[in-house]
Amino acid sequence: MPGQTILVVDDNATNVKLVRDVLQFKGYAPVVADTGESAVAAARAHLPALVLMDVQLPGMSGTEAMKILKADAATRHIPIIALTALAMKGAEEGLLAEGFDGYISKPISLKQLLELVQARVT
C-alpha cells in the first residue's frame, strides 16, 4: 500500500537510487541503509512494512542482519526480501531456507520489484 515505509539496504549507490526513486514514484516512503548494522538499527527505529536486503554487505552480511531482525520480537513480522547478484541455480532456495521471505536477483527487474512489493505490502 503506498505511503508505507520500505527499508532499502544496499551498499551500491546506483542500486539504492534506482530502487528508492521507483518506490518514491509509486508513493512509498523508502528509508535507506548501506550496512547490515545500519539496517538493523533502521528496521528497529522505523518498523518498515518491508525490507529489501542486499545479501553481500560490508561488515555484517545481509543474511546476518536478517537473522537478527527475525530473532527480535519487534521486527520478526517484517518480510525481508533478499537482493543478490548470486543468481546461480539453487541460490533462491538457499536464501529462502536461511529465512528470507523472498528473492530478487540483480540486475533488478523493476517489474519484478514492484510486483513483489505490491504483493508483500498490504
Side-chain angles (χ1 to χ4, degrees), residues 68-80:
I68 289 169
L69 294 172
K70 292 294 185 181
D72 185 333
T75 56
R76 74 173 46 129
H77 68 283
I78 302 169
I80 303 175

Side-chain angles (χ1 to χ4, degrees), residues 28-51:
Y28 295 99
V31 173
V32 175
D34 61 359
T35 67
E37 294 87 352
S38 62
V40 170
R44 288 176 172 160
H46 297 280
L47 296 176
L50 178 70
V51 176

Side-chain angles (χ1 to χ4, degrees), residues 1-6 28 49-50 79 115-122:
M1 172 181 299
Q4 292 191 326
T5 301
I6 298 176
Y28 295 99
L50 178 70
E115 287 172 354
L116 194 143
V117 167
Q118 291 167 348
R120 293 288 181 165
V121 179
T122 56

Side-chain angles (χ1 to χ4, degrees), residues 39-107:
V40 170
R44 288 176 172 160
H46 297 280
L47 296 176
L50 178 70
V51 176
L52 301 171
M53 178 84 71
D54 185 11
V55 174
Q56 296 178 310
L57 295 167
M60 179 191 296
S61 74
T63 301
E64 291 172 291
M66 175 271 300
K67 288 180 178 181
I68 289 169
L69 294 172
K70 292 294 185 181
D72 185 333
T75 56
R76 74 173 46 129
H77 68 283
I78 302 169
I80 303 175
I81 306 302
L83 300 178
T84 182
L86 301 173
M88 296 183 293
K89 185 175 182 169
E92 180 175 7
E93 293 80 10
L95 290 168
L96 295 175
E98 288 277 350
F100 284 98
D101 299 296
Y103 168 93
I104 297 177
S105 64
K106 294 178 185 179

